[in-house]
Amino acid sequence: MKIKQLSIFLENKEGRLWHTLDLLAKEDINIRALSLADTSEFGILRLIVQDPEKAKKILEDNDFVVKIKNVIGVELSDTPGGLASVLKVLNDNKINLEYLYAFTHEKSEKAILLLQADDLDSLIITLEENNIKVVPTEEVYNL
């Protein structure tokens, strides 16, 4: 249920994001989800890819700083209020998120929300107890 996410430190320089993604493309690494947070000096690129270990090695071999961190994916309704309904459950259960990002896929009216929290096991239990579908790892990698 835990999805391996790449976190890549990027200097905020022209072409740095392109170079990162181009390296992965040349090695046939397909990106399933992406999030980029930046400041004026640096950014953190978060990626979900089919083969996180291979992608990590490719990037590290090209002098990128890369960490793998687990996240959880949940399926939610891709309609107004879909995200709010999941966040209400987390709020009611006093679960604080470090970050989240979402993407849509081929399932009509569904989206996948990727979540990071201090205690992923408690997060999974809370989600399941509240009938929120935790998406299997392989399903996310193979979308």
Side-chain angles (χ1 to χ4, degrees):
M1 290 190 176
K2 295 177 183 172
I3 300 161
K4 290 182 178 183
Q5 169 196 266
L6 299 175
S7 294
I8 305 148
F9 177 82
L10 294 178
E11 294 173 280
N12 197 352
K13 291 184 177 178
E14 185 176 327
R16 194 71 170 148
L17 177 61
W18 166 81
H19 181 61
T20 307
L21 301 180
D22 188 55
L23 284 169
L24 296 176
K26 287 178 179 172
E27 295 293 332
D28 202 32
I29 301 287
N30 197 11
I31 297 167
R32 295 295 174 219
L34 170 148
S35 171
L36 179 63
D38 71 335
T39 67
S40 60
E41 311 239 340
F42 68 91
I44 301 293
L45 175 62
R46 295 183 174 107
L47 299 176
I48 303 295
V49 299
Q50 288 175 309
D51 190 341
E53 298 295 339
K54 179 181 176 185
K56 182 178 190 278
K57 180 168 181 3
I58 292 164
L59 293 171
E60 287 178 338
D61 287 350
N62 285 276
D63 301 319
F64 285 88
V65 176
V66 183
K67 294 189 179 181
I68 291 183
K69 190 166 190 173
N70 289 327
V71 295
I72 301 300
V74 299
E75 189 173 81
L76 58 96
S77 176
D78 186 20
T79 57
L83 176 57
S85 66
V86 173
L87 295 179
K88 180 177 183 341
V89 167
L90 300 181
N91 185 62
D92 290 349
N93 287 277
K94 309 278 189 258
I95 293 180
N96 188 37
L97 297 175
E98 291 180 20
Y99 57 84
L100 62 82
Y101 53 106
F103 63 100
T104 59
H105 57 101
E106 75 276 357
K107 286 187 179 178
S108 177
E109 298 181 16
K110 296 290 181 186
I112 293 180
L113 179 65
L114 299 167
L115 306 166
Q116 173 47 241
D118 284 337
D119 186 346
L120 291 180
D121 293 325
S122 292
L123 176 59
I124 292 169
I125 290 166
T126 300
L127 293 166
E128 289 178 339
E129 286 175 348
N130 287 276
N131 299 313
I132 297 171
K133 181 185 175 192
V134 178
V135 181
T137 304
E138 291 305 315
E139 185 176 327
V140 174
Y141 291 154
N142 293 315
L143 287 173

